[in-house]
Amino acid sequence: AQRVTQPEKLLSVFKGAPVELKCNYSYSGSPELFWYVQYSRQRLQLLLRHISRESIKGFTADLNKGETSFHLKKPFAQEEDSAMYYCDQGGADGLTFGKGTHLIIQP
Amino acid sequence: ETGVTQTPRHLVMGMTNKKSLKCEQHLGHNAMYWYKQSAKKPLELMFVYNFKEQTENNSVPSRFSPECPNSSHLFLHLHTLQPEDSALYLCASSSPGTNEAFFGQGTRLTVV
């Protein structure tokens, strides 16, 4: 079965510090990887996808097939980045979400 | 607004009640999902429908019964629930072409 691993349940960093949310996937084919974000009291929404290779709200994520990783990074955290982040592997079986990482940005 | 609509937004029900949650999307997606989101627990996949056929049932108790009458609508029928079933129930849909998921705002369910 496909599996997505987000090893950190909770990550707390200070404002202005770099952020890295880890994600490892298991799909052996060509995965489609996404990061979703859920801000407090808002719906889960797409943050970015690896195909587009874009930067959203200062976040980037690079697919590393050798390490089967898709870590989410931001060089300087902002308080509004506090949220739940889910890594998702969309393969032949559909969506496979990680367990999520709660990111807290301290002032 | 993502194009996925869930009703009701909030529901309080007794343990002997029967109720249904509804999800609707007109995005042309072929896959629809039910997720359970509980406080302090990871997102749990409950059911998956592809082209109206149930393709996954993640060991969900029979007191939860899904129904997908067409590719635009998904229901979750509830009966004799337990207080621990109180949670946010999320519906999502995706297209096989992109696999991007679109989520509804969820139904906040409280079982009393």
Side-chain angles (χ1 to χ4, degrees):
Chain A
Q2 298 176 31
R3 195 163 50 209
V4 174
T5 304
Q6 291 181 249
E8 303 137 330
K9 283 182 64 173
L10 175 68
L11 182 62
S12 180
V13 302
F14 286 102
K15 177 181 172 182
V19 172
E20 182 178 68
L21 301 171
K22 291 184 168 53
C23 172
N24 288 89
Y25 64 91
S26 67
Y27 190 55
S28 57
S30 294
E32 295 180 59
L33 291 152
F34 308 82
W35 276 100
Y36 288 84
V37 61
Q38 187 174 31
Y39 300 103
S40 179
R41 301 179 191 279
Q42 294 188 32
R43 71 175 74 198
L44 203 58
Q45 58 187 294
L46 179 68
L47 179 62
L48 55 81
R49 68 188 84 185
H50 91 273
I51 290 176
S52 57
R53 301 183 65 81
E54 56 194 344
S55 172
I56 304 293
K57 300 185 179 183
F59 284 97
T60 58
D62 291 320
L63 177 61
N64 185 323
K65 289 188 177 181
E67 295 181 359
T68 60
S69 68
F70 188 56
H71 303 328
L72 183 68
K73 300 178 184 180
K74 184 169 182 175
F76 308 103
Q78 298 171 292
E79 288 186 66
E80 54 266 32
D81 296 328
S82 295
M84 279 293 296
Y85 291 81
Y86 293 91
C87 182
D88 165 44
Q89 170 183 281
D93 297 336
L95 313 176
T96 305
F97 283 94
K99 293 186 175 182
T101 298
H102 188 187
L103 177 64
I104 297 175
I105 308 300
Q106 299 189 53
Chain B
E1 185 59 52
T2 62
V4 180
T5 306
Q6 287 186 244
T7 53
R9 292 286 304 278
H10 301 273
L11 178 63
V12 180
M13 60 186 287
M15 289 190 282
T16 58
N17 291 159
K18 286 185 180 181
K19 296 286 184 183
S20 296
L21 310 185
K22 181 181 175 183
C23 177
E24 189 172 350
Q25 58 90 10
H26 296 287
L27 301 169
H29 291 167
N30 298 315
M32 296 186 78
Y33 311 78
W34 279 117
Y35 287 88
K36 178 182 178 183
Q37 190 175 38
S38 306
K40 302 183 181 181
K41 292 178 77 173
L43 204 58
E44 298 173 52
L45 177 65
M46 299 176 72
F47 301 103
V48 182
Y49 277 83
N50 268 303
F51 295 94
K52 302 186 297 177
E53 297 293 321
Q54 185 175 311
T55 58
E56 192 158 342
N57 174 344
N58 263 10
S59 303
V60 180
S62 59
R63 56 186 184 268
F64 294 91
S65 173
E67 179 191 0
C68 189
N70 55 62
S71 57
S72 298
H73 295 85
L74 184 66
F75 295 90
L76 187 62
H77 303 301
L78 317 170
H79 65 97
T80 59
L81 294 192
Q82 305 297 312
E84 58 264 29
D85 296 322
S86 298
L88 182 69
Y89 289 84
L90 295 170
C91 173
S93 70
S94 69
S95 165
T98 66
N99 279 316
E100 177 184 343
F102 291 77
F103 282 85
Q105 290 217 323
T107 295
R108 174 68 63 187
L109 174 68
T110 304
V111 181
V112 297

